[in-house]
Amino acid sequence: MDRVLVRLIAATSFLALSLLPAQSEPKHGLAMQGEPALPPDYQHFDYVNPDAPKGGSVTYCVVGSFDNLNPFILKSLRTTARGMIDTVYGNLVFEPLMQRNYDEPFSLYGLLADSADMDPERKSIEFHLNPNAKWSDGQPVTPEDVLFTYDVFAAKGRPPYSDRMSMIAKLEKTGEHSVKFTFNDKANREFPLIVALTPIVPKHAFDTDTFDKTTLKPLIGSGPYTVDKVLPGQRIVFKRNPDYWGKDIPSKRGFDNFDQVTIEYFLNANAKTEAFKKGICALDDETDPVKRERDIDFPAFRKGDVREEYFNTGIPPVVTGFLFNTRLPKFADPVVRRALGMLYDFEWTNKNLFGGKFNRTMSYWQNSELSALGHPADDREKALLAPYPGRVPPDVMDGTWRPPVTDGSGQDRKVLKTAFELLKSAGFHVQDGKMLDAQGNPFGFEILTSSQDEERLAAVYQRTLEKIGIDVGIRTLDGDQIQSRKQRFDFEVLIGTSGFSNSLSPGSEQVGRWGSVAAKTEGSFNLAGVADPAIDAAIDAMLNARTKEDYVAAVRVLDRLLISGSYMVPMQYNTQQWVAYWSYLEHPQKTPIFGYQLPTWWRKPN
């Protein structure tokens, strides 16, 4: 062949290759913003004791009941099968492709997949499964299991798992140990990480036709434990799998230190507290400072057999409060909700119920750079809000908004008058001591509670509302009844003392909490029924932000919209985590930014 022709072909080939999209190299970790903090040769997470002794048992206690072990179906109660997948006690049975590092805002490291290739535009990601990954019955974890997981979740799963296939254009096996996801236009920049965090189930151990049926039969997973005993509604016992495939990989070193983990269920919080005092429960995490000071004074604590400890965290506090079902006409007007929000007397409650030890919750990302409080809207935020004029009041826009402060007497007439005037502007009036709406109908509502503590807080709110003629009823139901009502959106007002946990890296979970589609999806977490195009746009901007500045601006816009919408009456928070535990337990010295992590604790050797 002519030398000139050969050179021309070679040059053309080089040019063609240079024009192809850059291919990413397999990486040990993924980060939502920037790069993972830990290097490829990291040995363990910083907040574990890699040499923690293994052995012994631990019993955790919860309030509720359970009748099912499959956590991925709608018929499953969210208080059931704790530990199967669990952000508190650990993913004992089912595992995702990658493991979260709780000392970074949002970074993932290898687990079932030991590495991943994500293209720079995040339009696709290829996971390389660890060839040593196995199910508890010894069979290998395969790409077919990943494909099956997404198929069965789409067909029979509950939100949010059931929605994930809608953002995937193609899911394919690309090798003996590899699987590739290609995303469509519905996906956002966070979605590859959500895929990496989705638990995987074994194809050979499930049947698609019966997947959505409740079951108490122990299920096969890839996690460090297997289900040993089940006492429906009362107890579930997990035992360590001695052949757990992942015990020595860096992201699991220092975790899963007990031979046996038992989760015991109680009908109410008082019964759980008494069980802790008797030594049945290993720890107590009471959030009420007055109650825990009273309850901690028992013989075992005075002897030193029980310790109490405070842990500092670096994340926004949990948002708790009274949540309105805005699907109902009575709560459709944000002016009405804003007036109702003014009538929670935090100052009286904090002084008389909590010994003055709480702070007022005002923002969904309080005490962080993501909060709207103290931060005037910048040009990025104004641009995001421009298509929705007037949606955010001026004081929320400039960061100066604060809820009204009462005199703490429990009958501050100034605040009552301000709220009443706001209701009058919405067409309400008082007749014969009763608040009537614009149509002349008596205005009132029912608050659902699930414990004595919640009932007590609801009673405080009830007393204030009744002062301006609003009739409030309180109904206390057990955990199962509350959960069923939540799934069907069958309530007027909920008091959520479990609240919304927010992180320094909010993402797709916000779609499920506040997105318009979720408002109409039974079983979703959008309990308030929020359906606002401005909020949808803010979440979309947050999920697709390319820079830190754009991301912070989008989250602040979301915070401003949630504050302005008054979908919830936020209550109070404590700046620290408190836990009391029996002294046979020990934990690592370092606390990560997300707070203490029970899966890293261990039992002291005898």
Side-chain angles (χ1 to χ4, degrees):
M1 186 180 293
D2 185 89
R3 290 183 179 180
V4 175
L5 182 59
V6 170
R7 289 175 181 174
L8 181 60
I9 293 172
T12 304
S13 300
F14 175 79
L15 179 61
L17 287 171
S18 67
L19 293 175
L20 289 174
Q23 295 298 308
S24 58
E25 294 295 323
K27 289 188 175 182
H28 71 294
L30 305 172
M32 183 60 198
Q33 304 284 341
E35 296 294 326
L38 301 179
D41 61 350
Y42 84 100
Q43 298 300 303
H44 55 81
F45 292 153
D46 293 341
Y47 55 89
V48 306
N49 173 8
D51 301 315
K54 306 287 187 182
S57 63
V58 67
T59 297
Y60 301 123
C61 297
V62 298
V63 174
S65 181
F66 71 95
D67 60 358
N68 175 51
L69 298 187
N70 184 347
F72 307 113
I73 61 174
L74 190 58
K75 293 177 182 177
S76 168
L77 300 172
R78 292 195 186 107
T79 56
T80 81
R82 295 296 303 270
M84 302 296 286
I85 53 168
D86 207 296
T87 57
V88 176
Y89 305 124
N91 297 328
L92 304 183
V93 174
F94 295 105
E95 295 179 311
L97 293 168
M98 304 188 83
Q99 172 91 340
R100 189 163 190 167
N101 177 8
Y102 283 102
D103 208 27
E104 298 179 58
F106 194 5
S107 291
L108 311 178
Y109 295 84
L111 187 57
L112 289 177
D114 54 20
S115 63
D117 300 338
M118 182 168 62
D119 86 89
E121 295 301 310
R122 302 194 176 191
K123 297 297 185 184
S124 68
I125 187 168
E126 185 175 32
F127 294 97
H128 304 283
L129 300 179
N130 189 319
N132 297 318
K134 290 183 173 56
W135 301 106
S136 58
D137 61 0
Q139 293 203 35
V141 177
T142 67
E144 286 78 8
D145 293 316
V146 179
L147 271 60
F148 171 78
T149 295
Y150 278 81
D151 286 341
V152 77
F153 282 178
K156 302 282 185 154
R158 67 168 174 85
Y161 305 112
S162 57
D163 303 330
R164 292 181 182 167
M165 275 301 288
S166 67
M167 289 180 268
I168 298 170
K170 186 194 296 186
L171 175 52
E172 57 188 322
K173 177 181 178 179
T174 52
E176 184 180 359
H177 300 293
S178 59
V179 59
K180 183 176 182 180
F181 293 77
T182 303
F183 307 120
N184 59 33
D185 292 339
K186 294 181 181 179
N188 52 62
R189 290 181 60 79
E190 188 196 43
F191 192 58
L193 279 74
I194 299 302
V195 167
L197 276 180
T198 301
I200 304 301
V201 300
K203 180 179 180 180
H204 69 276
F206 284 95
D207 183 273
T208 302
D209 292 337
T210 60
F211 187 81
D212 60 346
K213 306 297 182 185
T214 59
T215 181
L216 290 170
K217 177 183 176 182
L219 301 176
I220 292 172
S222 63
Y225 293 86
T226 58
V227 176
D228 186 32
K229 299 173 184 175
V230 176
L231 190 58
Q234 298 180 44
R235 181 183 306 118
I236 180 168
V237 181
F238 301 91
K239 67 177 180 180
R240 184 206 303 282
N241 179 5
D243 301 317
Y244 173 52
W245 70 274
K247 58 181 178 292
D248 295 320
I249 66 173
S251 66
K252 293 296 284 183
R253 197 165 291 145
F255 287 82
D256 313 314
N257 299 313
F258 302 104
D259 285 340
Q260 179 177 290
V261 176
T262 300
I263 299 178
E264 197 85 24
Y265 287 78
F266 293 86
L267 292 178
N268 56 62
N270 288 337
K272 182 168 77 79
T273 299
E274 292 306 310
F276 168 67
K277 293 179 180 180
K278 294 175 182 177
I280 297 171
C281 313
L283 56 84
D284 181 34
D285 57 358
E286 174 61 55
T287 58
D288 183 334
V290 174
K291 188 173 185 296
R292 67 193 182 209
E293 283 186 11
R294 182 187 69 228
D295 291 341
I296 198 65
D297 187 21
F298 63 102
F301 175 73
R302 292 193 291 269
K303 286 172 56 181
D305 293 334
V306 169
R307 301 175 179 175
E308 66 172 342
E309 193 167 349
Y310 291 87
F311 295 86
N312 292 313
T313 73
I315 59 174
V318 174
V319 181
T320 64
F322 300 92
L323 185 137
F324 303 116
N325 187 349
T326 65
R327 301 171 185 85
L328 305 176
K330 67 174 67 180
F331 297 126
D333 187 346
V335 174
V336 173
R337 301 195 300 268
R338 196 169 302 135
L340 294 174
M342 299 175 68
L343 293 171
Y344 176 65
D345 194 339
F346 165 75
E347 285 69 31
W348 186 94
T349 305
N350 192 35
K351 180 175 67 175
N352 290 278
L353 299 187
F354 303 123
K357 296 185 178 181
F358 275 126
N359 297 302
R360 181 70 191 266
T361 305
M362 296 177 280
S363 162
Y364 289 80
W365 286 275
Q366 199 147 333
N367 303 333
S368 80
E369 65 174 340
L370 302 176
S371 173
L373 298 182
H375 297 113
D378 62 17
D379 290 340
R380 292 181 178 85
E381 294 181 60
K382 291 175 182 176
L384 287 173
L385 287 167
Y388 312 99
R391 195 62 58 89
V392 177
D395 57 347
V396 180
M397 202 68 176
D398 64 22
T400 62
W401 175 87
R402 298 294 185 275
V405 177
T406 72
D407 59 14
S409 67
Q411 48 188 358
D412 190 324
R413 299 184 63 83
K414 179 183 66 176
V415 174
L416 289 170
K417 185 176 186 300
T418 304
F420 178 63
E421 292 299 324
L422 204 54
L423 287 169
K424 279 178 64 177
S425 73
F428 286 73
H429 64 283
V430 173
Q431 182 176 316
D432 298 328
K434 296 291 184 182
M435 182 69 71
L436 306 180
D437 64 19
Q439 289 73 43
N441 301 311
F443 181 66
F445 52 85
E446 179 183 74
I447 302 174
L448 294 187
T449 66
S450 60
S451 68
Q452 289 182 340
D453 291 339
E454 290 186 357
E455 191 174 347
R456 183 174 56 158
L457 287 165
V460 172
Y461 194 35
Q462 176 192 50
R463 186 178 62 210
T464 305
L465 290 165
E466 287 178 341
K467 292 180 187 299
I468 59 171
I470 298 175
D471 183 29
V472 175
I474 300 172
R475 178 177 297 188
T476 300
L477 303 175
D478 64 34
D480 293 354
Q481 292 172 311
I482 288 278
Q483 187 54 45
S484 177
R485 298 277 288 266
K486 283 182 179 180
Q487 290 189 169
R488 294 180 282 117
F489 307 131
D490 180 18
F491 64 91
E492 293 186 319
V493 175
L494 286 173
I495 176 170
T497 54
S498 56
F500 294 108
S501 297
N502 276 321
S503 72
L504 296 174
S505 183
S508 294
E509 77 284 350
Q510 304 301 317
V511 177
R513 289 179 186 175
W514 311 112
S516 296
V517 173
K520 303 172 186 176
T521 305
E522 186 175 293
S524 82
F525 288 97
N526 189 346
L527 297 171
V530 178
D532 182 351
I535 286 179
D536 293 337
I539 294 173
D540 186 64
M542 175 188 73
L543 294 174
N544 289 290
R546 299 296 187 95
T547 67
K548 176 73 177 295
E549 293 77 14
D550 287 343
Y551 180 77
V552 171
V555 180
R556 286 184 185 169
V557 166
L558 177 58
D559 197 28
R560 295 186 206 280
L561 288 166
L562 293 176
I563 292 170
S564 303
S566 300
Y567 304 103
M568 189 176 187
V569 184
M571 294 191 293
Q572 55 273 328
Y573 72 91
N574 201 323
T575 56
Q576 294 177 309
Q577 290 179 320
W578 176 90
V579 65
Y581 57 94
W582 285 82
S583 58
Y584 55 74
L585 291 181
E586 190 59 88
H587 61 78
Q589 291 184 347
K590 180 175 180 179
T591 303
I593 60 175
F594 279 79
Y596 67 86
Q597 301 295 308
L598 291 178
T600 68
W601 290 37
W602 63 90
R603 187 161 186 144
K604 296 175 183 176
N606 291 330

